[in-house]
Amino acid sequence: MKTSHNRGARTPARSAETHLGACGLQQTMKLAILFCFLAASVYAETGYDAWLRYAPLQGADRIRAESEIPAVVAGLDTSPLAASAQNELIRGLRGMLGRTLRAEPNLPGEGAVVLATLDELRRSKPQWNLAADLAPEAYWLKRVVSGGASYIVITARDPRGLLYGSFALLRQVSLGESLAAVDEKSSPYAPVRWVNEWDNLDGSIERGYGGRSIFWENQKAREDLSRVADYGRMLASLGINGCSINNVNANPRILSADMIPQIARIADAFRPWGVRVVIAVDFGSPKTIGGLDTFDPLDEKVAAWWKTTVDAMYAAVPDLAGFVLKADSEGRVGPSAYGRTHADAANVVARALLPHAGILLYRGFVYDHHMDWNNPKNDRARAAWDNFQPLDGKFDDNVLIQIKNGPIDFQVREPASPLFGALEKTNQAIELQITQEYFGQSRHTVFLVPNWKATLDFDMHALPDVPTPVKALAAGRTFHRPLGGFVGVANIGLDENWSGNQLSQANLYGYGRLAWNPDLSSQRISGEWTRLTFGTDPKVDQAIDAIQLSSWRTYEDYTGPLGLQTLTDIVGNHYGVNVEASERNGWGQWHRADEKGAGMDRTAATGTGYAGQYRPPVARVYESLATCPDDLLLFFHHVPYTYRLHSGKTVIQYIYDSHYQGAAAVEQYVEQWKSLRGLVDEQRYKQVLAQLQYQAGQAEVWRDAVTMWFHRASHLDDAAGRVGHYPNRFEAESMALDGYTVRDVTPFEDASGGQAVACPARGGSCSAAMKFSGAAGWYDLRVQYFDQSNGISHYRVWLGRQLLDEWDANLVLPRAIRLDSTSSTRRLIPGIALRPGDEIRIEGRPDGNDTAGLDYLEIVKETNSPIATR
Ligand code: GCW
């Protein structure tokens, strides 16, 4: 296996030669060629270095940094964390300036970057008078001029602050910000800033889309944990101080004695970066692992078992941060087995952690997934509040209730969970999902920071006179709680680029930045990430920021607008479209769309009463149709399709329009991205292009599926005449078929016209042909086919006897074993000259259980070429 250093290395891409050649023609001298080579941004990058690339600074930024940064980094603090900080400073500045700073243990006579705690500075440089009341983990960056020398001081109360301050300094240099007069104090907004990994001990990851686990393989910690160390560095750069390393759907085995050394190895890999390990535990462990006949939290044997087990764990990992516990939820056992409360359950575990200063994050995600759909008063959204509000004040002080941002489950849009405003005497933390389970699973670019901020900034009106935004409540500031914070369900795995999609890395970055400072704007975070990750070319930055910042609205537009939630297959892979999958089952992600209207009536007056769980000023806004925001209308109210939104548009027309807008926006992203060719390294350029093109095809699948479903349900036409009319589309089922047979697709909206064709022939192939009858000209062909994951079928497209294109259907998609919207994929064949009477024939050769399915062919006027109008 390659070392982590090689992994991140930037190597000249194949296309570099092309650029080099072009430049070289105009330049004769070798040096000029070298300059040209660098300036053309031709390095291939894997994405492994994420936002810690430390790319060479250019132009004025470089000149300024060279003059501002001294030649020495003096590490007065001897802790391992300060050593990491010192090494990182040297590494980063070497990357950006091409200069290696001298590492010194003491203050030199010349200027230096100084890494020292406040106490150390007070001792060695009392005349600098650097006194400050810094919070734990906070840092202070300060320029000090003394004795004719100029210092950049990174100071803090503790080594962790030194580490975070060092990363902050490097970030500022990378962003081209001046350090000439730097004087910046920064404190973390909350003490708990964690990520949760939903990694299973076998190496798979629940809802993970960036490859397999970096932690586990075959029920053990991986032999090579270098990726864990590199991940720890990424987390430290954001100020994240804890990481749970196994799935909250916890395998009880994690607490067995033989796992302790495994956990200790992972903790060792993280430790230099100040990331403390957290373990997800199973509440039934006293019985399954401990051999007791009970796991009743009030039983003394059970309490003793937790204590002994926790003590043993701390003997090997003394800085373990604590546990996370999912109980009585989605089939996990919990206190209800013995008629006990969540407080009983949390406290028995928390009391075992307390002597070690460990904390327990007890998940608020508790609901009944066998609810009766026929009862209009039932409502999963109520569950968190109903379960935990009555227990306020009953939890020990080292327990935090970990509350998902919304009351359902990371849907494309939800209101803030009312539980945030309801706990006054209990610690809480907000849980955000970085991995895009309901957001296109990192095959779609969706920048989640604006979504999270909508919740974090939302005022819960928990106190009469002061604003009480969710961020302040979660951090424990509003009710002066001892603990509070942020938990993000992370999106990383063994993929070279960590998250499976280069642009999805921004979500991990954004989460970390918000956990440190939720007051940062989405624009600021996106801007930082883009510059750190793709460089400082303004054209690149503008294009990427524009995509990222609009991407949530875009995704919402083509999936589930108006508070309908993500209209996906909620009993399946949470990816493809299935409008009715949420209905008539106990899971409770209901939208109650039928032939007359859509939406859940959650009002106190006539509905489930959920709106009444908010404090009165908030409840009033949601309760009334007149004031409920359009974006959440169908989350709170059931209305007819002809109901008019505040904008004056009917609900049904909004559903149609938003889907067309959303799909068009992704097509636009593709064009925006193409404008960056040559400005972004070739490797990432191509990867992102392919991802966005795929997303554009998927957005169209979503658009057509959802609009068709609502058209069929409502019998109301699209005022713009688009839904149900696809003038350039030729359905496979209407073509001349040879071997292919027509199939009804389930659900019907997953294929155009509700039908597709499949090739049952094993070993042979099938074909579908049509005659072109349009005007002669240049066209793009779009073949909508089905890329199932249970085989690699092969496709060929012929124009008469000329082979136009062929490909294997081998994309890595979520599990798709049928003809449906998950497997539905678009192949673009651009720039084809067609004449009336031409025959286009699509040939499919099935493989395994993949039936080489076809949905339709679209023939559209060529979009991109300057000769298109000829
Ligand atoms: O959203 C659901 C996910 C589950 C997850 C659960 C939870 C880890 O579909 O995969 O389980 O939430 O948050 O506990």
Side-chain angles (χ1 to χ4, degrees), residues 524-545:
R524 165 82 203 181
I525 295 174
S526 171
E528 280 182 11
W529 178 81
T530 305
R531 289 166 70 90
L532 296 172
T533 310
F534 283 100
T536 51
D537 183 326
K539 185 165 180 211
V540 174
D541 297 341
Q542 273 160 25
I544 297 180
D545 286 346

Side-chain angles (χ1 to χ4, degrees), residues 776-779 831-833 861-870:
W778 291 99
Y779 291 90
I832 303 296
K861 280 262 181 249
E862 185 186 49
T863 40
N864 267 331
S865 164
I867 53 171
T869 48
R870 270 194 221 159

